[in-house]
Amino acid sequence: MFHKSTFLMLSLFTLLLAACAAPAAPVTEPPAAADEASTPAAAEEMGKIQVATTVSPIANIVANIGGDLIEVTGIVPEGTNSHTFEPAPSDALTIVAADLIIVNGLDLEEPTINLAEANKRDGVEIIFLGNNTVSPEEYVFDFSFPIEAGSPNPHLWMNPLYALRYAELTKDALSELDPANAETYAANYAAFEERINALDVAIQETINTIPEENRRLLTYHDSFAYFAPRYGLTVIGAIQPSDFSEPSAREVADLITQLREEEIPAIFGSEVFPSPVLDQIAADAGSIFIDTLSDDDLPGDPGAPNHSYFGMMVDNVVTMTRALGGDPSVIEGFDTSNVN
Ligand SMILES: [Zn+2]
């Protein structure tokens, strides 16, 4: 819950900050085109454009498009449950400093968006990537994101083509804010697009090596709803209840029955959601349990060549392909470094 008193406190906090800390001057209005001589691009005048965003894959996509011209701050720490994350009052500092705020939306980061709306400077835009990538008819609702609860599965970025749309929306927003560098953002986007298209092909070729009867995903956390249909995989279930608690004893029993009946070779979890019951479920059902799929945690340390959206997706595909009886070597040499 995000209480009114918290808002009030944060608003006061903002006023204090504005009064004494004098954060970077706002870059809310792009300079008029006719005024070039006297008004150099806002970004050049004041240093890098400050972009506040949320989960690490999105922060990485944004960084690939902005390159050296922007400084990206991801408010949701890596390896955290982004679905239940509550920002700290100190995250208001990031919001106050932001020239642009970019979120997934689709109800993934409501507390952070509330914080942003209460604390952002006048004229600073909040870009909702997910809501501008698919129409409501394309939303996926399922066990973990039931339609009765009203919030669709928000994991659009796990489909590389949707991630490309996220990049395009970022390019458009940065170009509007900083038109003097629009060509650079366009070039960065073009490089990102080329790599995404290569990734899309490599994923399909890798998934194609999985025996057809094994092209089924049973995951703990429900993050492959938009990925699976793109590549001919079927999500036969996700285990995590909609409130992110552990499955009930009844659900566990049903799951073991389902696993036995469908002869699923592996079930997948993620390090962000360690679940002791899953090892037992897999053992009872004769499957293996692998807990390294990721939707909001980049592999490697910051600065490592695989610490990227591409690295995360390649790791996921290698993990699921190996466990389901395919040949992960098809994608193992893929260039996972950032394009910018
Ligand atoms: Zn997730």
Side-chain angles (χ1 to χ4, degrees):
M1 281 296 290
F2 205 83
H3 297 285
K4 272 194 180 142
S5 58
T6 317
F7 273 118
L8 185 62
M9 191 191 78
L10 290 170
S11 302
L12 288 169
F13 186 47
T14 308
L15 283 174
L16 279 171
L17 277 173
C20 35
V27 189
T28 50
E29 282 168 27
D35 224 349
E36 274 165 20
S38 59
T39 323
E44 277 172 52
E45 203 171 60
M46 285 168 280
K48 295 185 179 193
I49 293 178
Q50 299 296 314
V51 183
T53 181
T54 56
V55 295
S56 53
I58 292 177
N60 181 256
I61 293 167
V62 170
N64 270 282
I65 301 309
D68 293 341
L69 297 169
I70 68 170
E71 191 173 319
V72 183
T73 306
I75 289 175
V76 181
E78 290 197 43
T80 318
N81 177 358
S82 56
H83 303 266
T84 56
F85 173 76
E86 297 271 351
S90 59
D91 288 320
L93 286 168
T94 302
I95 296 296
V96 171
D99 304 311
L100 180 65
I101 299 165
I102 300 182
V103 301
N104 184 71
L106 300 179
D107 303 334
L108 176 67
E109 324 105 314
E110 284 304 293
T112 305
I113 291 166
N114 290 338
L115 181 81
E117 276 167 352
N119 290 277
K120 72 186 183 67
R121 301 195 317 268
D122 283 350
V124 171
E125 262 197 275
I126 303 180
I127 308 290
F128 289 78
L129 298 175
N131 308 62
N132 288 291
T133 293
V134 292
S135 61
E137 300 81 65
E138 294 167 291
Y139 292 168
V140 173
F141 295 94
D142 45 31
F143 176 72
S144 300
F145 297 95
I147 195 158
E148 312 85 75
S151 297
N153 193 314
H155 297 99
L156 295 184
W157 66 90
M158 300 301 286
N159 177 330
L161 298 190
Y162 291 163
L164 182 60
R165 170 68 178 154
Y166 281 23
E168 184 184 26
L169 290 163
T170 301
K171 178 214 24 145
D172 292 346
L174 286 171
S175 302
E176 194 183 321
L177 187 64
D178 177 24
N181 287 306
E183 270 182 38
T184 303
Y185 301 126
N188 293 350
Y189 172 77
F192 190 81
E193 181 181 31
E194 195 179 324
R195 185 77 67 75
I196 283 283
N197 288 334
L199 177 70
D200 183 46
V201 170
I203 292 174
Q204 187 65 73
E205 286 175 350
T206 312
I207 298 298
N208 289 349
T209 68
I210 299 173
E212 220 169 316
E213 67 276 15
N214 287 352
R215 290 181 201 163
R216 292 174 299 164
L217 283 181
L218 184 75
T219 62
Y220 181 71
H221 186 53
D222 191 10
S223 46
F224 291 89
Y226 300 94
F227 168 94
R230 170 81 191 151
Y231 301 108
L233 289 161
T234 306
V235 177
I236 59 163
I239 300 162
Q240 190 171 41
S242 57
D243 62 357
F244 302 100
S245 61
E246 284 285 5
S248 69
R250 178 59 197 270
E251 284 158 352
V252 167
D254 288 350
L255 201 63
I256 291 170
T257 308
Q258 184 189 7
L259 281 166
R260 283 192 179 135
E261 279 173 6
E262 303 205 32
E263 295 178 357
I264 293 156
I267 60 177
F268 300 95
S270 73
E271 284 162 4
V272 175
F273 299 102
S275 174
V277 297
L278 285 174
D279 271 318
Q280 192 54 44
I281 292 173
D284 288 354
S287 304
I288 54 166
F289 171 57
I290 292 163
D291 68 351
T292 53
L293 293 187
S294 173
D295 65 82
D296 54 13
D297 195 16
L298 307 182
D301 292 325
N306 65 340
H307 193 75
S308 65
Y309 172 78
F310 304 112
M312 183 183 82
M313 295 309 292
V314 167
D315 275 12
N316 283 333
V317 172
V318 167
T319 300
M320 62 178 70
T321 301
R322 182 178 291 134
L324 298 175
D327 176 11
S329 71
V330 177
I331 203 170
E332 271 168 348
F334 192 85
D335 182 1
T336 58
S337 61
N338 292 312
V339 295
N340 290 294

